[in-house]
Amino acid sequence: MAGGYTVNDLIRLLLHVAWWLLLAPLLPGIINRVKSWVAGRRGPPILQLYFDLARLWKKSVVMSTLASPAFIAGPAVAWVAVVGAAMLVPLGPAGALLHFRGDVLLMLYLLALARFATAWAAMETGSAFEGMGAAREVSYAILAEAAMVAAMLSLSIETGTVSLTTMLAPSAGAGAVLLAAGLFTVLLAENCRVPFDDPNTHLELTMIHEVMVLDHSGPPLAVILHGASVKLLLFSVLLVQAVLPMGELSPTAAPGVLLVGVFTVAVGVGLVESFLARFSFRRVPLLLTTAFLLCIFAVLVAWKGGAA
Amino acid sequence: MNISVNLLVGFAMGLNLIALGSNRLPSLIRAMSVQGVLLGIIPLLMEKELDWRVALVALATAIGKGVVIPGLLRRAMRAASIEREVDPFIGFVPSLLLGAAGTVAAVALAQGLPLLPEHAGSLLVPGALASVLTGFILLVGRSKAISQVCGYLILENGIYLFGLLLIKTTPLLVEAGVLLDVTVGVFVIGIIVDHIQRAFDSLDTRKLTALRE
Amino acid sequence: MNPGTLLLASAASFVASIVAGNRYARAWLTLTLTGVFAGLSAALIVLLGTTDWEWRSTLIVGGQLVFLRLDGLSALFLVLVSVVGGAGAVYAHEYWSEDDYPTSAPRGRMWWSGLVLSMGLVLTIVNGLHFLIAWESFAICAYFLITLDRQRRAVRAAGWLYLAASHAGTVALFAFFASLAARTGSWELGPLRDHASLAPLFWLALFGFGVKAGVFPLHFWLPDAHANAPSHVSAVMSAVAIKMGIYGIVRFSGWLPMPAAAGWVVIALGATSALLGIAFAFAQDDVKRLLAYCSVENVGVIMIGLGGAMLAAAHGHASWGLLALSGALLHVWNHGAFKALLFFGAGSVLHATGTRTMSRLGGLWRTMPWTTGMFAIGAVAVSGLPPLNGFVSEWLVYLGLLDAVVSKGPAAWAAMPAIIMLAMAGALALASFTKAGALIFLGSPRTQAAAAAHESGRWMRLPMLTLAALCIALALVPVLFWPAVARAVNAWDTSWPPAAVPNSLTSIGRTQVALALAAVAATFLLLHKVRTNGLRRGLTWDCAYAAPTAHMQYSSGSFAGIVVGWFAWILRPQGIVRRPRGLLPLKAFRIGHNPETVLELVIGPVSRVIVQASRTASRLQHGNLQAYILYVIAALVALGSVAWLAGTP
C-alpha cells in the first residue's frame, strides 16, 4: 500500500465511489417503477430518490426532546459502515477497493455495525414504536445473519478462498439456484422489503425498519435513505456476482453484465412487492429459516461438488 | 437418465420442506400433490424402453396423487371450512429444522448403506427416507385431520420411492396395491373428517381424546 | 530488570497491602498499584522477550520444593490480572469507600489484594500441590469478596452457591493433580505430551476448570455470583477470575496428550456456551446478570478458538490452528478489557440510582454522560463490532475456522456449525447490548431514582477511561499486540513455527483506523450540517399521541420478547399476566421471570431428591444403641458375604 499511487488507482477509487454512491439511489426508483407499472399507474419518476435526498439535505431538523447527539451520530456511523462494507465488495473485474483474507467477515460485521447504530439512534427517542422496530430489527437479524454466513461459507467452500474478490469470481456452481434463492430472501429481509416489511406503509405497528427512522428528519434522514439504497445495491451486487461467473467474463462485458444483473434483481424485488402481501410477523422467522436452510443446502452441495 | 431422476427426487425433497413449513392447508395439499405427480413421472424416466403397463401405472399414480386425492381433500377442507393449521404440536420453524436435519441425515445415512452399485449415486434412498420422516413429523406434529392425511400421503410417497428401487424385480402391481390402500384410507378419513366435523364443529384431532372411553 | 525481582517486588507489595488494607486506604491503593505495575512489567518483559523466567527454590512447602515459572502463556494471563486488578482497586477506592461501607471496605481491600496475589500465584506455580493451594486460596478470596455486602440475603445465597460450585470443580482438580502425580511420580508440572496414558485425565481438568470458567452448562453459579457481588468484584470475577479456568484448560491442553475427542468436545462446548449464554443474556432485565451471561458467551468464543486449535494440533494443520488460538487468546485480553469496562459502567449506574433493573432506568445520558460514553464503547466492543477490539479477536477465530472449512479436512464439520453459531451469537450480542444501552441510558427516566442520577467521581471514571483507551488501542493497532499473543501460542504448542503478523491483520488494523476516523468525521460533519440547517426540539412522535409517559417506552421484556419466544425451549420463561378487563380497565400487569434453567430446573430438583433421600436415610440415625450394634453386625455380614463371593471364582 505504501507509496506509488498512480492515476489508475485514482480512477479506480472514483469509479467505485461513483458506482456505490451515485448509482445506489436509482434502485428504489426502479423498484417503484416496476410496482407502478404492474399496478397500471404512472408512478413516481425513476430519479425520485435523488430529488428527495437533495430536498432533505437542505431542510432543517426536528429532534425529540429526549434525544442525545447520538441521535444524529447514529445515521452518520451507519452510513459510514454501509459504505465501508460496500468498498469491500468487488465490482467484477474492477475488483474491490480493499481486499484481504477474511474481508468477507468485516463486510458482514460492518452491516451489523450499521444495524447497531440505527437501532441505538431509534432508541434515543424513547418512543414505543421505535423500540418495537428496533427490537424486531435486531431479532430478525439473528436469522438473517445465520443465512448470510451460511451463504458465504458455501462460496468459500466452492472456491477454496476466504476473500470476497476471489469468492465471487466464479459462479456458485451446482448450488447456484439454492444460493440465489437464499440470498434473495435475505436481501428482501435485510432491506426491509415485502414480504418482511412494507416500505410504503404508514401504519407504525406493522413496520420493522421504517418505524425506526420515524423521528428522523432533514439531513440525517437523507443519510439514512442513501445508506439504505447503498445497502440494497450491495446485496444486489453480491447476489449477482455469487451466481454469475463474473471473474471469467471479459473486462468489457463484465460491467454490462453486472448492470443488467442488478437491474434484474431490482425488477425482481419490484415484482415480488407487486404480487406478494406482507407476511404476518409470525411467518417472518419461518421465511428466514427457509432462507437459512437454502444456504445450508448450498453449503452441502458445494461440499459434495468439491469432493466428487 | 439418473440425473433427471435425481433432479425430480431433489424437487420432491424440497417439497417435503415446503409441506413442513406451510401453515395454510391449500399450500400443504398443493405441495403433496405436486410431489405425487413428480414421483409418478419417475418410473417413466427409469426404464430404458417404455413398457405400457409401467406407463399406465405411472399415469394412474400421477392422476391419483396429483388430482383425485387432492381434490377430495380440498372438498373436505371446504366442507369443514378450515384453511389454516393453527397451533400445531410441533411449530413450523422447529418442524422445518427437523425436516432439514432429517434430509441431511438421510443423505449421510444413505452413503453408509450397503446399496446396489447402480443405486449408489442416486437420491432415491435418501429421498425415500426424507419423505417418510416428513410424513412422520406431519402425522405427529399437526392437529388438523387434513394435515395428518397429507402427512400420511407423503409417508406413502416415501414408501413408493423405496419401491422404485425394486422396479426391475417387482411388478408395479405392488405399488398399485399400495395406492389402492391409500385411496381407501383417504376415503375412510374423508368420512371420519365429515363425522368429526358434525360431532365437534371442528377438525381438531385433539378433541378426539374426549372419545377415549 | 529481571522478571524475578519484579515479581518478588510485586508479591511483597501485595503482602504489604493486605496488611495495610485494614487501616490505610491510600497506602493500600499505592501498594496495590505498585504491585500491579511490577507484575505487569514482569509479564511484559517475558512476553516481549524470548526467554521464560524460572525459579527453582530450596524452599519447601508441604513437602514439595517451590518451583515458579512465567512463560508466554502465563504471562499473557498475568497481564490481564494486573491491569484489571489495578483498575478495580482504583475503582473500589470510590465505589466501595469507607464512607459508604465502614465495615466492609477494609475487608474488601484485604481480600482484593489476596485475590490478585493468589491469581498471580496460580499463574506462576508449576507444582500440582502448590497449584491446588493457590487455587483454593483464590476461590476463597473470591468468596469473601462476593459476600462483602453480606447483610443482603441474595448475596449470601449467591456466595454459597459460588462456594459449592467452585468446590465441586476443585474436587475434580484434586483428582486430576493427584492422578497426574501418581502416574508421573512427581507433583511437578510441565510438558508431558509424550505420556499417551495421561490423555483421559484431560476430562477431569476440563470439568474442574470448566466450572470456574463458566462453560455452559457448568455456568449455573455465575449469574448469581457476578450480579450480586459489588461491581468492582463482578468486574474482576467476569474479566479475570473466569479466565483462570480458561488458563487451566489452555495450559493443560498444551501440556498433556489429548484424547481424540477433546477438540470436538471443546469446540462443541464453546459453540453451545456462545449461543445459549448470549440468549440467556438477552432475556435478562438485571444489567449485571446480563453482563454475567454475556461472559458465558465470551468464554464460549474463547473455547471455540481453543477447540479449533486442538483439532488443528490433532490433525497437523498449524496454520489455521494458530489463527484460531491467537484469536482465542487475544479475546482473553479483549474480553477482560471490555467486560471490566462494562461492569464498571453498570456499577456506576448502580451507585447513582441504586438499581440494576434496566426497566427502572432510562435517560441517564443527561446526568451521566461519561458513563454513557464508556458503556457505549464497551457495548460496541462486546458486540464484536468494528472498529473496536471485540471484532479483531472474533475475526481471528473466524478466520481460523474458515481456513479449516476451506481445507476440507474432518475438522470442517466442527468448524462450519461453529461459524454459524458464532455469527448468531454475534447478532444476539448486538441485540443484547442495544437493549442494555438503550434501556439504561436512552429515552426518558422511568423512575424517580433514574431521574435523580448523578455522574460518578474521578476515581471511578479514571479506570473506565483507561480500559476504554485499552479497548481502542487493541482495536486500532492489533499488530502491536500480536507478538505477545504469538509468544503465548508458541508456549502452547512449541512445534508450531513462530508466527509473523498475518498480512490480513495489518489490513484489519488499518481499515479499523480508517473506519474510526471516517465515523468520527461523518458524525461531526452531520452534526455541523444539522446545526447550520437549523434544529428544533419537539415531542417524540408517538402516533400523534401528545402525552407520552416514560412507562410507554419499550421495556426489557418487550424488547427481548421475540427472541425469548424462539429460545423458550431452554430459557423457560415464566410470567404472571393480568390482562386489562372491562371497559375502563384500571389494573393490568405482566411480571416476567427468566429462571437460570440449569440451576432451577436441573440442579435444583436433583438436589431436592438427594436431600429427600438423605432425610429418609437419616431416620436410621435415631440414637438407639442396640439398633446401632445391629447395623454393625449387618455391615459385617454384608462385607463378609461380599468377600466370600469375591473369593469364590
Side-chain angles (χ1 to χ4, degrees):
Chain A
M1 267 230 196
Y5 290 102
T6 59
V7 183
N8 262 345
D9 286 332
L10 195 66
I11 292 175
R12 227 161 62 95
L13 179 76
L14 287 177
L15 184 95
H16 275 89
V17 171
W19 169 275
W20 290 111
L21 300 190
L22 299 183
L23 195 65
L26 199 59
L27 280 193
I30 297 175
I31 295 174
N32 282 333
R33 252 303 151 84
V34 172
K35 281 165 73 180
S36 48
W37 176 71
V38 173
R41 292 182 284 115
R42 241 200 26 238
I46 215 156
L47 299 178
Q48 184 62 45
L49 187 55
Y50 294 93
F51 304 144
D52 286 349
L53 290 177
R55 195 165 39 92
L56 283 171
W57 190 248
K58 281 181 250 152
K59 286 202 159 192
S60 70
V61 175
V62 185
M63 200 165 131
S64 164
T65 42
L66 300 174
S68 78
F71 183 67
I72 309 289
V77 172
W79 185 83
V80 166
V82 170
V83 173
M87 293 305 151
L88 299 170
V89 177
L91 293 172
L97 212 52
L98 189 66
H99 62 91
F100 47 87
R101 277 166 46 74
D103 55 2
V104 50
L105 297 162
L106 181 60
M107 182 198 74
L108 292 179
Y109 272 75
L110 278 172
L111 293 175
L113 175 65
R115 194 187 321 135
F116 181 85
T118 320
W120 184 280
M123 297 300 286
E124 287 271 354
T125 60
S127 148
F129 291 116
E130 280 163 65
M132 192 163 63
R136 286 175 183 165
E137 169 97 349
V138 295
S139 303
Y140 294 139
I142 297 163
L143 298 177
E145 190 97 342
M148 271 306 274
V149 165
M152 295 302 131
L153 263 182
S154 87
L155 290 174
S156 264
I157 294 172
E158 186 71 34
T159 58
T161 60
V162 292
S163 170
L164 276 172
T165 308
T166 41
M167 276 162 62
L168 293 173
S171 78
V177 181
L178 293 169
L179 190 66
L183 271 180
F184 188 69
T185 317
V186 175
L187 179 149
L188 294 177
E190 281 279 308
N191 291 288
C192 43
R193 314 300 311 189
V194 173
F196 295 94
D197 195 358
D198 191 347
N200 291 334
T201 182
H202 288 286
L203 187 59
E204 289 89 338
L205 278 172
T206 63
M207 295 191 278
I208 302 176
H209 186 86
E210 295 294 312
V211 76
M212 286 200 297
V213 300
L214 269 181
D215 266 88
H216 284 287
S217 53
L221 183 59
V223 168
I224 290 171
L225 292 178
H226 186 259
S229 69
V230 173
K231 190 172 167 190
L232 181 58
L233 182 62
L234 185 154
F235 272 88
S236 316
V237 169
L238 263 187
L239 174 57
V240 170
Q241 300 198 85
V243 177
L244 298 180
M246 292 305 285
E248 290 151 26
L249 298 175
S250 73
T252 46
V257 172
L258 191 60
L259 270 175
V260 171
V262 169
F263 180 75
T264 317
V265 171
V267 171
V269 173
L271 290 178
V272 166
E273 292 202 3
S274 307
F275 293 111
L276 267 186
R278 196 183 58 71
F279 279 7
S280 77
F281 280 114
R282 293 171 56 179
R283 305 282 292 162
V284 168
L286 186 70
L287 201 55
L288 282 171
T289 311
T290 314
F292 170 65
L293 288 179
L294 285 167
C295 295
I296 285 286
F297 283 121
V299 168
L300 295 178
V301 169
W303 183 276
K304 261 196 91 95
Chain B
M1 166 204 112
N2 221 350
I3 289 174
S4 49
V5 170
N6 273 356
L7 203 64
L8 284 181
V9 178
F11 269 123
M13 287 158 96
L15 285 166
N16 281 340
L17 297 184
I18 292 177
L20 285 175
S22 51
N23 69 343
R24 291 181 64 248
L25 291 179
S27 41
L28 175 58
I29 295 173
R30 198 178 313 127
M32 189 262 314
S33 61
V34 172
Q35 194 183 42
V37 174
L38 287 180
L39 299 190
I41 301 171
I42 289 180
L44 301 179
L45 299 170
M46 283 179 85
E47 291 295 297
K48 292 241 166 49
E49 64 269 23
L50 207 58
D51 186 354
W52 66 270
R53 279 168 303 183
V54 172
L56 193 68
V57 173
L59 197 69
T61 313
I63 291 176
K65 286 181 179 167
V67 182
V68 180
I69 296 177
L72 289 172
L73 284 176
R74 284 205 187 93
R75 209 161 81 192
M77 192 182 77
R78 267 197 299 277
S81 62
I82 42 160
E83 273 259 297
R84 278 169 200 283
E85 174 79 45
V86 257
D87 193 16
F89 291 116
I90 304 177
F92 297 106
V93 173
S95 39
L96 194 59
L97 289 175
L98 263 178
T103 307
V104 173
V107 174
L109 186 71
Q111 279 176 344
L113 286 180
L115 294 176
L116 288 176
E118 69 240 46
H119 297 136
S122 122
L123 275 177
L124 277 180
V125 175
L129 286 172
S131 296
V132 169
L133 185 80
T134 307
F136 273 128
I137 296 175
L138 283 174
L139 279 171
V140 174
R142 298 289 182 265
S143 57
K144 295 280 181 286
I146 293 179
S147 320
Q148 286 182 318
V149 176
C150 289
Y152 182 50
L153 286 163
I154 287 175
L155 192 141
E156 198 278 329
N157 282 344
I159 297 170
Y160 168 82
L161 273 176
F162 269 125
L164 285 184
L165 287 179
L166 308 171
I167 196 164
K168 289 202 184 110
T169 47
T170 348
L172 279 163
L173 218 62
V174 179
E175 166 56 21
V178 172
L179 194 63
L180 202 65
D181 269 1
V182 172
T183 320
V184 172
V186 170
F187 272 121
V188 171
I189 288 173
I191 294 163
I192 291 177
V193 162
D194 198 41
H195 281 252
I196 301 175
Q197 168 70 14
R198 275 187 210 159
F200 297 101
D201 255 357
S202 140
L203 264 192
D204 203 326
T205 48
R206 273 174 284 202
K207 299 250 165 94
L208 288 179
T209 49
L211 295 177
R212 64 174 176 264
E213 271 146 25
Chain C
M1 214 193 281
N2 181 4
T5 329
L6 282 167
L7 285 176
L8 186 68
S10 168
S13 10
F14 273 112
V15 172
S17 76
I18 294 176
V19 177
N22 198 16
R23 282 283 183 78
Y24 314 102
R26 290 272 165 143
W28 169 77
L29 190 59
T30 319
L31 282 169
T32 310
L33 288 181
T34 317
V36 157
F37 278 113
L40 184 63
S41 335
L44 287 179
I45 289 170
V46 170
L47 270 183
L48 301 176
T50 48
T51 47
D52 299 345
W53 170 79
E54 268 189 6
W55 183 60
R56 208 181 272 275
S57 76
T58 48
L59 199 67
I60 291 179
V61 177
Q64 295 287 317
L65 288 172
V66 172
F67 181 23
L68 302 178
R69 181 195 292 154
L70 193 64
D71 67 352
L73 197 59
S74 42
L76 183 103
F77 285 84
L78 190 59
V79 168
L80 184 66
V81 171
S82 311
V83 169
V84 180
V90 177
Y91 188 84
H93 191 68
E94 179 179 338
Y95 182 78
W96 210 262
S97 65
E98 224 97 27
D99 304 341
D100 299 335
Y101 304 94
T103 51
S104 60
R107 271 190 287 131
R109 288 195 291 264
M110 289 159 75
W111 289 117
W112 183 273
S113 302
L115 179 76
V116 178
L117 180 61
S118 52
M119 286 196 292
L121 285 174
V122 164
L123 292 175
T124 42
I125 283 173
V126 274
N127 178 298
L129 195 64
H130 297 157
F131 188 98
L132 278 172
I133 295 170
W135 187 258
E136 192 54 25
S137 74
F138 149 57
I140 289 187
C141 290
Y143 167 74
F144 281 107
L145 280 171
I146 290 171
T147 53
L148 272 188
D149 195 8
R150 64 171 73 133
Q151 276 75 27
R152 285 174 45 229
R153 192 187 164 82
V155 171
R156 291 197 304 271
W160 270 116
L161 182 61
Y162 163 75
L163 206 60
S166 177
H167 278 99
T170 311
V171 168
L173 289 185
F174 256 108
F176 169 67
F177 284 110
S179 22
L180 198 62
R183 294 196 189 183
T184 57
S186 145
W187 283 94
E188 223 164 75
L189 303 169
L192 293 162
R193 274 208 171 163
D194 38 348
H195 293 58
S197 65
L198 295 176
L201 289 182
F202 175 73
W203 301 120
L204 274 177
L206 184 63
F207 177 83
F209 289 119
V211 170
K212 191 58 92 181
V215 176
F216 199 94
L218 304 174
H219 70 286
F220 54 88
W221 59 273
L222 193 148
D224 274 340
H226 289 195
N228 285 304
S231 297
H232 61 295
V233 178
S234 316
V236 81
M237 292 291 290
S238 240
V240 189
I242 59 173
K243 302 293 170 33
M244 294 296 117
I246 295 285
Y247 169 74
I249 299 173
V250 176
R251 174 97 281 172
F252 290 101
S253 64
W255 275 350
L256 294 185
M258 285 295 99
W264 299 87
V265 170
V266 169
I267 205 168
L269 279 176
T272 318
S273 296
L275 190 57
L276 294 184
I278 198 67
F280 272 95
F282 192 28
Q284 303 305 315
D285 191 19
D286 174 338
V287 57
K288 286 177 71 181
R289 277 184 86 85
L290 185 149
L291 291 173
Y293 274 116
C294 169
S295 294
V296 176
E297 181 230 345
N298 282 286
V299 162
V301 173
I302 295 168
M303 295 276 280
I304 289 176
L306 175 64
M310 286 163 74
L311 284 175
H315 296 102
H317 297 286
S319 64
W320 53 262
L322 204 146
L323 282 173
L325 188 63
S326 50
L329 291 177
L330 190 59
H331 203 71
V332 168
W333 275 5
N334 283 337
H335 176 248
F338 57 64
K339 190 48 67 67
L341 173 61
L342 285 166
F343 264 117
F344 288 166
S348 174
V349 170
L350 180 60
H351 198 64
T353 63
T355 181
R356 314 189 302 239
T357 309
M358 290 188 282
S359 296
R360 292 181 191 281
L361 296 165
L364 292 185
W365 70 268
R366 276 174 198 285
T367 42
M368 308 181 75
W370 281 97
T371 307
T372 309
M374 296 301 114
F375 196 91
I377 288 179
V380 174
V382 72
S383 307
L385 296 175
L388 281 177
N389 58 341
F391 175 70
V392 179
S393 43
E394 284 191 26
W395 175 82
L396 277 169
V397 173
Y398 269 121
L399 194 60
L401 295 179
L402 267 180
D403 281 347
V405 172
V406 165
S407 70
K408 286 192 143 190
W413 291 106
M416 280 193 286
I419 288 175
I420 291 167
M421 284 165 91
L422 198 53
M424 292 177 75
L428 265 163
L430 186 155
S432 306
F433 282 91
T434 313
K435 173 179 128 167
L439 288 181
I440 299 173
F441 297 106
L442 307 183
S444 59
R446 291 175 178 82
T447 52
Q448 275 300 314
H454 57 87
E455 183 59 280
S456 41
R458 61 199 161 102
W459 290 100
M460 277 161 74
R461 286 207 304 256
L462 182 71
M464 286 201 269
L465 281 169
T466 316
L467 288 170
L470 200 62
C471 282
I472 292 171
L474 277 159
L476 299 186
V477 271
V479 181
L480 209 62
F481 300 88
W482 176 265
V485 173
R487 175 134 162 70
V489 171
N490 194 242
W492 187 74
D493 191 325
T494 39
S495 68
W496 287 355
V501 182
N503 284 331
S504 42
L505 190 70
T506 321
S507 305
I508 278 283
R510 282 186 191 148
T511 318
Q512 300 246 72
V513 174
L515 271 171
L517 290 178
V520 171
T523 302
F524 277 105
L525 277 175
L526 196 60
L527 280 171
H528 177 73
K529 177 72 186 160
V530 167
R531 242 175 247 126
T532 48
N533 279 16
L535 174 68
R536 208 150 45 80
R537 290 279 186 170
L539 210 57
T540 295
W541 169 255
D542 251 335
C543 225
Y545 183 63
T549 71
H551 290 284
M552 286 167 61
Q553 297 175 91
Y554 242 43
S555 69
S556 164
S558 45
F559 199 93
I562 300 172
V563 175
V564 169
W566 296 345
F567 285 92
W569 55 274
I570 179 83
L571 291 178
R572 302 273 159 192
Q574 299 156 355
I576 310 163
V577 185
R578 190 196 148 108
R579 296 185 183 284
R581 286 177 212 145
L583 282 177
L584 295 168
L586 285 176
K587 200 172 181 188
F589 57 79
R590 184 185 182 283
I591 302 167
H593 170 60
N594 287 300
E596 164 42 53
T597 308
V598 177
L599 181 67
E600 292 177 30
L601 298 176
V602 180
I603 295 180
V606 168
S607 46
R608 267 194 292 281
V609 169
I610 294 174
V611 167
Q612 197 62 45
S614 335
R615 283 239 176 80
T616 319
S618 74
R619 278 197 211 131
L620 294 172
Q621 185 197 20
H622 38 54
N624 188 336
L625 185 65
Q626 285 82 351
Y628 284 1
I629 294 171
L630 195 66
Y631 293 161
V632 173
I633 294 170
L636 277 175
V637 171
L639 275 176
S641 47
V642 166
W644 181 71
L645 282 175
T648 45

mmCIF file of all heavy atoms in Angstrom, chain C residues 606-616:
data_model
loop_
_atom_site.group_PDB
_atom_site.id
_atom_site.type_symbol
_atom_site.label_atom_id
_atom_site.label_comp_id
_atom_site.label_asym_id
_atom_site.label_seq_id
_atom_site.Cartn_x
_atom_site.Cartn_y
_atom_site.Cartn_z
ATOM 1 N N VAL C 606 -32.776 -32.070 41.263
ATOM 2 C CA VAL C 606 -31.901 -33.205 41.576
ATOM 3 C C VAL C 606 -31.432 -33.116 43.019
ATOM 4 O O VAL C 606 -31.464 -34.109 43.770
ATOM 5 C CB VAL C 606 -30.694 -33.241 40.613
ATOM 6 C CG1 VAL C 606 -29.649 -34.227 41.106
ATOM 7 C CG2 VAL C 606 -31.148 -33.608 39.220
ATOM 8 N N SER C 607 -31.036 -31.910 43.441
ATOM 9 C CA SER C 607 -30.538 -31.829 44.816
ATOM 10 C C SER C 607 -31.681 -31.998 45.811
ATOM 11 O O SER C 607 -31.473 -32.523 46.902
ATOM 12 C CB SER C 607 -29.776 -30.528 45.045
ATOM 13 O OG SER C 607 -30.501 -29.466 44.531
ATOM 14 N N ARG C 608 -32.899 -31.572 45.421
ATOM 15 C CA ARG C 608 -34.019 -31.818 46.318
ATOM 16 C C ARG C 608 -34.227 -33.314 46.518
ATOM 17 O O ARG C 608 -34.486 -33.778 47.634
ATOM 18 C CB ARG C 608 -35.284 -31.165 45.766
ATOM 19 C CG ARG C 608 -35.472 -29.759 46.324
ATOM 20 C CD ARG C 608 -36.868 -29.235 46.052
ATOM 21 N NE ARG C 608 -37.113 -28.998 44.636
ATOM 22 C CZ ARG C 608 -36.673 -27.922 43.981
ATOM 23 N NH1 ARG C 608 -35.951 -27.015 44.606
ATOM 24 N NH2 ARG C 608 -36.953 -27.757 42.710
ATOM 25 N N VAL C 609 -34.090 -34.075 45.422
ATOM 26 C CA VAL C 609 -34.236 -35.527 45.536
ATOM 27 C C VAL C 609 -33.162 -36.085 46.463
ATOM 28 O O VAL C 609 -33.439 -36.922 47.340
ATOM 29 C CB VAL C 609 -34.160 -36.182 44.143
ATOM 30 C CG1 VAL C 609 -34.029 -37.696 44.275
ATOM 31 C CG2 VAL C 609 -35.379 -35.831 43.325
ATOM 32 N N ILE C 610 -31.928 -35.578 46.290
ATOM 33 C CA ILE C 610 -30.834 -36.073 47.130
ATOM 34 C C ILE C 610 -31.104 -35.748 48.596
ATOM 35 O O ILE C 610 -30.955 -36.594 49.482
ATOM 36 C CB ILE C 610 -29.493 -35.462 46.673
ATOM 37 C CG1 ILE C 610 -29.152 -35.982 45.284
ATOM 38 C CG2 ILE C 610 -28.377 -35.797 47.655
ATOM 39 C CD1 ILE C 610 -27.944 -35.352 44.678
ATOM 40 N N VAL C 611 -31.557 -34.516 48.834
ATOM 41 C CA VAL C 611 -31.837 -34.126 50.220
ATOM 42 C C VAL C 611 -32.936 -35.012 50.799
ATOM 43 O O VAL C 611 -32.850 -35.505 51.927
ATOM 44 C CB VAL C 611 -32.236 -32.632 50.272
ATOM 45 C CG1 VAL C 611 -32.825 -32.289 51.627
ATOM 46 C CG2 VAL C 611 -31.044 -31.755 49.974
ATOM 47 N N GLN C 612 -33.961 -35.257 49.982
ATOM 48 C CA GLN C 612 -35.066 -36.104 50.428
ATOM 49 C C GLN C 612 -34.548 -37.499 50.792
ATOM 50 O O GLN C 612 -34.875 -38.050 51.850
ATOM 51 C CB GLN C 612 -36.092 -36.200 49.290
ATOM 52 C CG GLN C 612 -37.455 -36.696 49.736
ATOM 53 C CD GLN C 612 -38.084 -35.756 50.754
ATOM 54 O OE1 GLN C 612 -38.062 -34.549 50.575
ATOM 55 N NE2 GLN C 612 -38.603 -36.306 51.846
ATOM 56 N N ALA C 613 -33.702 -38.031 49.893
ATOM 57 C CA ALA C 613 -33.154 -39.367 50.124
ATOM 58 C C ALA C 613 -32.309 -39.380 51.381
ATOM 59 O O ALA C 613 -32.394 -40.312 52.203
ATOM 60 C CB ALA C 613 -32.318 -39.794 48.927
ATOM 61 N N SER C 614 -31.541 -38.320 51.596
ATOM 62 C CA SER C 614 -30.699 -38.295 52.805
ATOM 63 C C SER C 614 -31.552 -38.197 54.053
ATOM 64 O O SER C 614 -31.254 -38.790 55.075
ATOM 65 C CB SER C 614 -29.729 -37.122 52.770
ATOM 66 O OG SER C 614 -29.463 -36.728 51.480
ATOM 67 N N ARG C 615 -32.652 -37.421 53.947
ATOM 68 C CA ARG C 615 -33.566 -37.335 55.086
ATOM 69 C C ARG C 615 -34.084 -38.718 55.447
ATOM 70 O O ARG C 615 -34.111 -39.104 56.614
ATOM 71 C CB ARG C 615 -34.757 -36.449 54.708
ATOM 72 C CG ARG C 615 -34.430 -35.002 54.731
ATOM 73 C CD ARG C 615 -35.329 -34.252 55.714
ATOM 74 N NE ARG C 615 -34.877 -32.871 55.755
ATOM 75 C CZ ARG C 615 -35.213 -31.985 54.814
ATOM 76 N NH1 ARG C 615 -36.026 -32.316 53.847
ATOM 77 N NH2 ARG C 615 -34.736 -30.767 54.876
ATOM 78 N N THR C 616 -34.503 -39.432 54.402
ATOM 79 C CA THR C 616 -35.017 -40.779 54.638
ATOM 80 C C THR C 616 -33.952 -41.629 55.294
ATOM 81 O O THR C 616 -34.208 -42.361 56.255
ATOM 82 C CB THR C 616 -35.440 -41.406 53.303
ATOM 83 O OG1 THR C 616 -36.094 -40.407 52.537
ATOM 84 C CG2 THR C 616 -36.372 -42.576 53.510
#
